[in-house]
Amino acid sequence: MVKTSSRCWNGMIVDLNERACTGRVLCQLERHEDLTRLGAQLEEVGRDPAETRSAANTPNPLGYQPRHLYFAPAEMKLWGHSADIRYVKCATISFPFKVIQERLGIVQPAGLAETPQLRFNDDRLWTLIKLLTEAIDDVDPTAQLYGDSLTAAIAAKLLVRATEPKGSYRGLSPLQLKDAIGYLEDRMPKKVELSALAELAGLSQSHYCRAFKVSTGLAPYQWQLQARIERAKDLLLTTNRPLDDVAEATGFADAVHFGRTFRRMIGVPPAAWRVDRHT
């Protein structure tokens, strides 16, 4: 049994695959033509850990590591193998190397660059990939900025060697911040791509995310969600519109989705918040 979910952010294709297996497995891993791949093992159940191979009958020479990842240039073929596996969940991010390099303003790629690695550990990369897969089926408008930010962070972590000490990042200029807030408010509650915000400021996406957070204390997707909740509070307080209407006006799928998010952020359900403010 194979279950696959896919989504594209920032020109990067994210595939989440779940496989129910019956024992020994050997299969060629699917790939998107001419795209570089970054893969992560998210979960596995069985007596023999799964491994990534460069050839069907050539075992991976590197020892098993939990939360392992692999990195493969576009032309490289890969196989997955296990002597006894019952369930495996893995993620693959496929992207055009040169295009992403240019889009994110990576002048001289470092890090992994185009050097294949069949098994390595990087807890931050693994966590970013896991968070990205959890957003694949999220229809909320904020998921666009969220996924864009995660893919930008993954590309930067993967390809760029840090040259600035932590804490040395500057925020947006007053004009850049004003343009960003205006752009987000004008398009609320529709989806906004990180590339559009970064282009507006004349910055790379990874630089923009850091600068926006320095200026506002929030990542762009967090600011967008907070602004939608603030608009919802205004509608709850100044109109008698039902929760379904308020949810639709602020970009939530339905009243249940709206109520769950509102309660998580404000601490009480929207109906209770409205009654409390009116009394």
Side-chain angles (χ1 to χ4, degrees):
M1 185 277 291
V2 179
K3 179 183 177 182
T4 301
S5 302
S6 299
R7 187 163 177 174
C8 184
W9 282 284
N10 243 332
M12 304 172 77
I13 302 171
V14 184
D15 294 314
L16 177 64
N17 296 297
E18 296 181 75
R19 299 173 184 270
C21 313
T22 57
R24 184 177 183 273
V25 173
L26 176 64
C27 62
Q28 186 170 353
L29 301 183
E30 296 180 1
R31 63 190 178 101
H32 297 278
E33 199 69 29
D34 300 324
L35 298 184
T36 299
R37 286 171 292 167
L38 171 67
Q41 198 81 341
L42 301 177
E43 187 179 347
E44 56 186 330
V45 178
R47 297 180 180 180
D48 183 61
E51 66 176 28
T52 307
R53 295 179 170 187
S54 58
N57 297 316
T58 304
N60 192 321
L62 302 173
Y64 171 76
Q65 303 174 61
R67 295 188 168 192
H68 64 264
L69 303 100
Y70 71 80
F71 180 80
E75 68 280 358
M76 186 174 182
K77 295 180 180 180
L78 294 174
W79 280 260
H81 173 270
S82 173
D84 189 353
I85 194 80
R86 302 295 163 173
Y87 171 81
V88 62
K89 179 192 287 187
C90 56
T92 306
I93 301 177
S94 306
F95 57 96
F97 186 90
K98 296 296 183 183
V99 173
I100 296 301
Q101 175 189 340
E102 294 173 3
R103 179 175 295 181
L104 298 180
I106 301 171
V107 181
Q108 294 180 327
L112 287 178
E114 292 186 292
T115 304
Q117 294 196 39
L118 293 185
R119 184 177 272 166
F120 71 97
N121 278 107
D122 187 311
D123 283 341
R124 176 164 169 73
L125 260 183
W126 189 91
T127 300
L128 289 171
I129 294 170
K130 186 174 186 297
L131 290 172
L132 194 58
T133 62
E134 291 171 353
I136 282 181
D137 297 321
D138 191 346
V139 298
D140 190 273
T142 307
Q144 183 65 49
L145 269 179
Y146 180 63
D148 285 347
S149 300
L150 287 175
T151 50
I154 288 168
K157 184 74 173 69
L158 188 67
L159 304 176
V160 180
R161 187 170 288 114
T163 57
E164 295 180 280
K166 190 174 181 179
S168 67
Y169 304 123
R170 296 179 180 178
L172 298 173
S173 70
L175 179 59
Q176 287 173 327
L177 183 58
K178 180 181 178 182
D179 287 344
I181 300 305
Y183 188 91
L184 286 165
E185 288 181 339
D186 287 346
R187 285 154 183 78
M188 192 183 306
K190 297 178 181 178
K191 293 179 180 179
V192 174
E193 294 187 354
L194 181 61
S195 58
L197 288 172
E199 184 177 351
L200 194 65
L203 301 173
S204 69
Q205 292 185 38
S206 55
H207 185 181
Y208 185 87
C209 285
R210 293 193 296 264
F212 189 97
K213 190 165 187 177
V214 169
S215 294
T216 66
L218 298 170
Y221 75 89
Q222 292 172 322
W223 190 96
Q224 185 188 41
L225 180 57
Q226 183 66 49
R228 289 165 58 206
I229 290 296
E230 290 303 315
R231 181 169 291 187
K233 288 164 70 175
D234 180 68
L235 291 173
L236 289 170
L237 194 61
T238 60
T239 74
N240 292 320
R241 296 170 67 174
L243 294 186
D244 278 323
D245 286 357
V246 175
E248 182 179 358
T250 49
F252 293 95
D254 50 38
V256 174
H257 180 207
F258 167 55
R260 185 168 57 245
T261 305
F262 191 97
R263 182 168 187 169
R264 174 169 56 83
M265 296 183 65
I266 306 303
V268 294
W273 185 91
R274 170 184 262 173
V275 169
D276 181 65
R277 294 305 180 276
H278 282 164
T279 56

